[in-house]
Amino acid sequence: MNKTLRELADLIGGEVSGDSGVCISGAADISDAASGDIVFAETPRLLAEARKSQATAIIVHKNADISEKPVIRVDNPRYAFARTLEIFAPSKIHEPGVHPTCIVGEGTTIGENPSIGSHVYIGRNTTIGNDVVIYPSVYIDDNVSIGDNCTIYPFCTIHDTVEIGNKSIIHSGSVIGSDGFGYIRVGSEQYKIPQIGKVIIGDNVEIGANVTIDRARTGKTEIGRGTKIDNLVHIAHNVTIGENCIIIAQAGIAGSTEIGNNVIMAGQAGVKDHVKVGDNAILCANAGVIGDVAAGEFLSGYPARPHREQMRLYAAQTKLPGLLRLVRDLERRVKELEDKPE
């Protein structure tokens, strides 16, 4: 799909400087761009690299200083480039209809324009919305609700009484609504606590591959609208996550924790049970959160502390070998003085 630079600028809401008639045939990173590609540069360093690249044109900030190549000037180059990728991305064609090997239980309704692949199981009294794409080998239990324009990739398992909002995406291998991890020790054995709650997933949520979201013991486990969850994340029973959060790979959230809106949890961050994390908080990679986090805090380390404080502690730790050598030297000198005859 070829576009002139002017056509592309109109689609992404930018202004052209230079030859607006050049042909753009694709989008690429600066390092592997070829003639016909457009790239984006949001820093001076990237802009310098883009100037030297084979790219035909560059998406830049409105006030960028460049005349060597045609450019599209925008307020947010990264966002404009994302929209450009959408334009040049090949359209995926989904087979319309319900495959004959699909099993659909009694009382289940399927909306308009479905694309449901082979060997999908859909239980009883489940509702599937309009324009839903369900890839082969997906298991959907009884009393599930899936909204419009959702995409569910192969080998997902969605247990009973799960509710999924509109325009949500669930990637391969994820399990939504499995039992929460709840036991009581009785004598020498662990007695399993029934998990009878549900999982509610809001609109426009994306859940990565091999994510596990447990059903609540009672009540609900809830993922707020617009939240994005990376691969290999575990969310325990009765957790609530607010809107527009980012949860990155291998993070874990223990039971009954409350995560506010616009929270970022970096890779392998972990949050203890019954903790509250305020809006706009940031938890760095490997952070171990064992207490409540105020809105807007930026934490790192284990146990998690304010990031600047943690950096000072790390800096102090690097001085420990020298301090140990100094202490040993002082101990030796003191001993020599004590052993010296009067």
Side-chain angles (χ1 to χ4, degrees):
M1 181 189 299
N2 294 338
K3 300 282 185 186
T4 67
L5 195 63
R6 167 61 63 197
E7 289 172 334
L8 185 57
D10 290 342
L11 290 170
I12 65 175
E15 301 173 357
V16 175
S17 293
D19 185 357
S20 62
V22 294
C23 182
I24 305 300
S25 56
D29 287 335
I30 293 171
S31 59
D32 55 12
S35 178
D37 286 336
I38 190 168
V39 298
F40 83 102
E42 59 183 350
T43 67
R45 179 182 65 80
L46 291 175
L47 188 57
E49 292 177 9
R51 281 190 174 101
K52 301 177 200 175
S53 75
Q54 298 299 310
T56 295
I58 312 170
I59 298 171
V60 298
H61 281 291
K62 282 191 171 179
N63 58 355
D65 181 14
I66 177 171
S67 58
E68 293 87 344
K69 292 179 183 284
V71 299
I72 298 177
R73 299 182 182 276
V74 295
D75 291 325
N76 186 335
R78 186 175 291 268
Y79 172 59
F81 188 70
R83 294 181 62 189
T84 302
L85 290 173
E86 289 175 343
I87 292 166
F88 288 107
S91 299
K92 185 138 187 157
I93 299 173
H94 301 288
E95 288 292 329
V98 179
H99 195 276
T101 61
C102 175
I103 296 173
V104 180
E106 291 183 15
T108 286
T109 60
I110 297 174
E112 298 178 357
N113 304 313
S115 176
I116 301 179
S118 62
H119 301 96
V120 171
Y121 175 89
I122 304 174
R124 296 170 297 176
N125 302 315
T126 285
T127 302
I128 308 292
N130 300 324
D131 302 297
V132 168
V133 176
I134 301 176
Y135 281 77
S137 302
V138 169
Y139 175 89
I140 301 172
D141 210 334
D142 302 338
N143 304 303
V144 170
S145 174
I146 297 176
D148 298 339
N149 296 290
C150 288
T151 301
I152 302 173
Y153 285 92
F155 304 109
C156 287
T157 298
I158 300 173
H159 288 284
D160 59 287
T161 67
V162 169
E163 299 177 15
I164 299 172
N166 300 322
K167 298 182 179 179
S168 289
I169 300 170
I170 304 176
H171 288 275
S172 297
S174 287
V175 179
I176 313 299
S178 53
D179 279 356
F181 193 70
Y183 298 88
I184 298 173
R185 188 170 184 85
V186 179
S188 61
E189 297 184 354
Q190 299 289 350
Y191 183 85
K192 182 177 175 65
I193 301 170
Q195 307 291 300
I196 64 171
K198 60 173 63 176
V199 176
I200 299 176
I201 294 171
D203 295 343
N204 198 29
V205 169
E206 184 159 5
I207 296 170
N210 297 312
V211 170
T212 56
I213 302 176
D214 290 349
R215 72 173 55 256
R217 180 177 60 184
T218 59
K220 62 186 178 181
T221 301
E222 186 168 15
I223 312 298
R225 178 182 61 84
T227 284
K228 314 300 181 187
I229 300 172
D230 197 1
N231 304 332
L232 298 167
V233 168
H234 174 64
I235 298 170
H237 59 170
N238 292 92
V239 167
T240 60
I241 297 177
E243 298 181 355
N244 298 311
C245 294
I246 296 289
I247 314 294
I248 299 172
Q250 299 183 353
I253 304 174
S256 299
T257 289
E258 298 179 24
I259 306 291
N261 299 324
N262 304 303
V263 170
I264 297 174
M265 285 185 63
Q268 297 187 332
V271 182
K272 178 185 174 293
D273 59 290
H274 294 85
V275 162
K276 293 183 179 181
V277 177
D279 296 348
N280 302 298
I282 298 174
L283 310 179
C284 289
N286 299 113
V289 177
I290 60 174
D292 289 351
V293 178
E297 279 207 274
F298 182 19
L299 304 185
S300 64
Y302 185 88
R305 298 179 176 88
H307 184 62
R308 287 186 178 181
E309 178 183 332
Q310 189 68 49
M311 290 299 98
R312 287 195 293 268
L313 288 173
Y314 285 148
Q317 288 173 12
T318 63
K319 298 177 182 178
L320 287 177
L323 289 172
L324 286 172
R325 287 192 295 271
L326 177 60
V327 169
R328 292 191 188 106
D329 183 58
L330 291 172
E331 287 176 338
R332 178 184 58 78
R333 292 167 65 183
V334 167
K335 188 173 187 309
E336 289 175 353
L337 289 171
E338 289 176 340
D339 292 344
K340 188 175 180 179
E342 295 183 1

